[in-house]
Amino acid sequence: MNLSITTKSPNRRLAVLPMIVLVIFGMVSSAYHPAMAANQSLLPSISLYEALLPEYQEDIFTATSGRLPVYDITASLTPVDDVSGVGSIDGVTQLDYVNFTDTRQTDLFIRLYPNAPIYQEASLTLDEITIEGMPVLATYDHDQTLATIPLAAPLEPGDRTRITLAFTSTIPAERNQSYGMFGFDQESRSYNLAHWQPLIAGWTPGIGWNTGPMDLRGDPVFTNTALFSVTLTAPGELTFATTGSAVNTEVTGGLTTYTWESGPSRDFVMIANPEFLVMEGLVGDTVVRSFYTASSEPAAAEVLEISMQSLAYFNEQFGPYPYREFDVAEAYIGPRAAGIEFPGLVYISRNLYQPGNASLEFTIVHEVAHQWFYAIVGNNQYLHAFLDESTSNYVSILYIEAQRGPEAAQIAVDRFLKRSYFAELFSESGDHVVNQPTSAFPSDRTYGRIVYGKGALGMQALREEMGLDGFVAALRSYVELHQFSVALPEDLLAEFEKVGGATVLTTWNHWFESTNGDQDFSPDDLNQLR
């Protein structure tokens, strides 16, 4: 796979050494294979897979066709009004739903994330619901963030039905809540548009539907893989970065209508800004785009280069990123997050956009790693956040080691892993179990220090026990076996044990299931780090 950079705006060219990457894209996990659909008329066509690179379309279509829900969304964006302070997205979702679980289903659970109180003036309402053309009523729970819709008839695994959801999503002029994922920034006129549409609630094999309260610690969105086709009409001055690829664009007066398709994806997310400039390059045949504003131009080329280099590195280590596009966008997000991952798109805080900023590099690499550990292989972040967060944090260290050597990697371990964990371990709070629900952590601070710090150090301990090649081979196998599914901790442990043997379980339990940090570190380690 060749890695090269070209530019659109501004006009600049960068030189990057070519890299050759040999990858094989495996089949979807058997755990995600319910029976074929009973209603063949609702089966999606291969045209919904246009966001994938041509060499992967047929294999992934064959592996997933008939097993993924399809969201066909038509909507329009009304800009935030300076007087009212709110805007909206009004739309209709035609949901061709397949029972992808292994049990009989009598209800459909829909998440309406913007209704959470932390989003203040935001809201997401279902204005009309029909199933096979017949009106139905939903019941609501947890501050109306969960809608339960009774199905017209029970669905066996693999059966399909068509559901229409008319919705209104109110966009607030406030983006600092929940990491600033959803809202409008008045200063930049920028829209952060995550979870703006109704989404099927997440389902975990062996556990079931996630129908509890919305998680306010960590990632609020837990979903399964689906296909999205989104047609949005918006003011023409806005430039959009999104999940997936644009397949059609039409301009009428001052409005532009876009049609995007996602391919297999856990969500469809957007960010829009009238001041966005775009710089782009190629990693193999994948177009990588950096969206930035003029004030951040000094760091824009560096952002693109790091994004491309890390995408190429993870391609080589863990299997291919199979999509045509990957977008990295400068975002006005709250102080609690440096970056936020979404399928095919990441937000990077504008506060990091300074050339040579080590935190900028580490954040970008971490969010790129999430394209494998979250987007391709999912997990229930409410229950096992370490599966994607600890893994992404540590493989970011592997990238730095590959780029600049062991000494630079150790500096990054000290700065981004140990410093965080030691701040918790040697405080009154002390040590905590990594593998526990996010709601079980006593605070956001503890959650971050344990999952991102201790959990990543646990991955380092496994790497040291298994060797670099064995550690990477286990992660590559994990990705291949569980792509487009929701994996469990035992799935990742099984791959480590295949390579490292039975002793891996002791290391795993010590780091992820126990509170024995005082066996690994002492206050002298903290003083030395300082």
Side-chain angles (χ1 to χ4, degrees), residues 34-46 48 61-62 64-68 70 96-98 132 155-162:
M36 286 299 292
N39 189 345
Q40 297 295 316
S41 66
L42 297 183
L43 292 178
S45 71
I46 198 169
L48 288 174
F61 172 74
T62 300
T64 62
S65 180
R67 302 176 177 98
L68 303 181
V70 179
D96 288 344
Y97 176 73
V98 58
E132 301 293 348
L155 292 181
E156 300 297 334
D159 286 350
R160 304 185 79 94
T161 190
R162 179 164 289 170

Side-chain angles (χ1 to χ4, degrees), residues 127-142:
D127 304 318
E128 184 180 5
I129 307 169
T130 65
I131 298 180
E132 301 293 348
M134 299 298 295
V136 296
L137 295 177
T139 57
Y140 296 89
D141 294 287
H142 311 310

